[in-house]
């Protein structure tokens, strides 16, 4: 979709008219969106009034590996042509969690206290990545967990693409979040 309008409200209206079911084709009530101010302009959420609480988010990314990549990674010494795949991917995912605010415009910079990434190679070539990110702060770490699991997957792709480009990153989902005004569990 090509966007040529300067007004964010017009942009949201044009997106909604294309994607929302009939009857909800306008966003005149923009208060549903936390990152849009009263004028319809993009804005960072003000968290000054919120209490700092322990917040934890867990995200999962699932990859499908072709047989050649799966066999290579399943041999015990988890190496690819570029080096130790899983160790490098965990480092990349951890770094990504800490840099999320640099990537997503309205994420608050957070002093990440916890980032645990697990990578599990399943049979049939499925790889499951889970990232658990924690912080004691005024805002949650959902985007940090999602970013960590995604960048871990992208790093695995990058390190294994010399073997095959048939690697598929199937899905990335938020599994849970705790802390703040509401909890979420998938």
């Amino acid at each position: 979709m090509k966007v040529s309008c300067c007004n964010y409200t017009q942009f949201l209206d044009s997106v909604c008219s294309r994607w929302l079911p009939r009857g909800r084709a306008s966003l005149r009530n923009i208060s549903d969106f936390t990152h849009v101010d009263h004028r319809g302009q993009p804005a960072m959420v003000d968290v000054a009034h919120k209490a700092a609480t322990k917040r934890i988010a867990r995200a999962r990314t699932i990859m499908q590996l072709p047989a050649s990549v799966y066999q290579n990674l399943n041999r015990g010494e988890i190496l690819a042509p570029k080096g130790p795949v899983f160790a490098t991917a965990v480092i990349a995912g951890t770094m990504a969690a800490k840099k999320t605010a640099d990537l997503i415009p309205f994420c608050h910079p957070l002093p990440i206290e916890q980032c645990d990434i697990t990578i599990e190679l399943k049979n049939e070539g499925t790889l499951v990545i889970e990232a658990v990110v924690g912080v004691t702060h005024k805002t949650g770490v959902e985007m940090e967990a999602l970013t960590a699991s995604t960048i871990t997957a992208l790093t695995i792709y990058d390190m294994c693409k010399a073997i095959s480009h048939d690697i598929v990153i199937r899905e990335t989902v938020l599994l849970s979040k705790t802390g703040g005004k509401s909890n979420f569990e998938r």
Side-chain angles (χ1 to χ4, degrees):
M1 171 189 294
K2 185 176 179 182
V3 178
S4 59
C5 59
C6 296
N7 183 309
Y8 198 62
T9 303
Q10 290 172 339
F11 167 70
L12 290 175
D13 280 345
S14 69
V15 169
C16 288
S17 66
R18 184 173 182 180
W19 298 107
L20 287 178
R22 293 201 187 277
R24 289 201 59 200
S26 177
L27 277 183
R28 299 293 171 220
N29 184 2
I30 58 175
S31 63
D32 293 344
F33 293 88
T34 58
H35 289 84
V36 179
D37 70 14
H38 67 281
R39 299 168 311 202
Q41 298 299 310
M44 183 179 254
V45 174
D46 181 359
V47 296
H49 64 283
K50 291 185 175 184
T53 61
K54 180 66 177 177
R55 297 160 188 260
I56 296 174
R58 188 168 53 102
R60 178 182 65 214
T61 298
I62 297 176
M63 300 177 71
Q64 192 63 46
L65 307 176
S68 57
V69 174
Y70 174 76
Q71 290 163 3
N72 226 302
L73 294 177
N74 198 32
R75 287 199 181 116
E77 180 60 34
I78 302 170
L79 295 177
K82 294 184 179 183
V85 176
F86 292 168
T88 304
V90 167
I91 292 167
T94 303
M95 290 172 63
K98 296 189 294 182
K99 292 288 193 178
T100 301
D102 292 340
L103 301 170
I104 301 173
F106 298 127
C107 281
H108 292 83
L110 297 174
I112 302 298
E113 298 167 339
Q114 169 190 6
C115 184
D116 298 316
I117 298 172
T118 59
I119 303 170
E120 188 176 354
L121 190 59
K122 305 267 190 176
N123 48 355
E124 306 302 319
T126 301
L127 190 71
V128 178
I129 300 161
E130 284 199 16
V132 177
V133 179
V135 69
T136 303
H137 210 274
K138 297 178 176 191
T139 188
V141 285
E142 298 97 295
M143 297 311 299
E144 288 74 9
L146 290 162
T147 301
S149 67
T150 302
I151 295 300
T152 301
L154 289 170
T155 302
I156 292 167
Y157 188 104
D158 178 55
M159 296 191 72
C160 295
K161 71 183 182 207
I163 301 167
S164 174
H165 283 91
D166 287 329
I167 301 164
V168 177
I169 300 173
R170 289 199 332 226
E171 69 176 20
T172 298
V173 297
L174 180 68
L175 296 175
S176 64
K177 77 145 205 105
T178 59
K181 70 177 180 180
S182 65
N183 293 333
F184 170 80
E185 184 83 32
R186 183 171 306 280

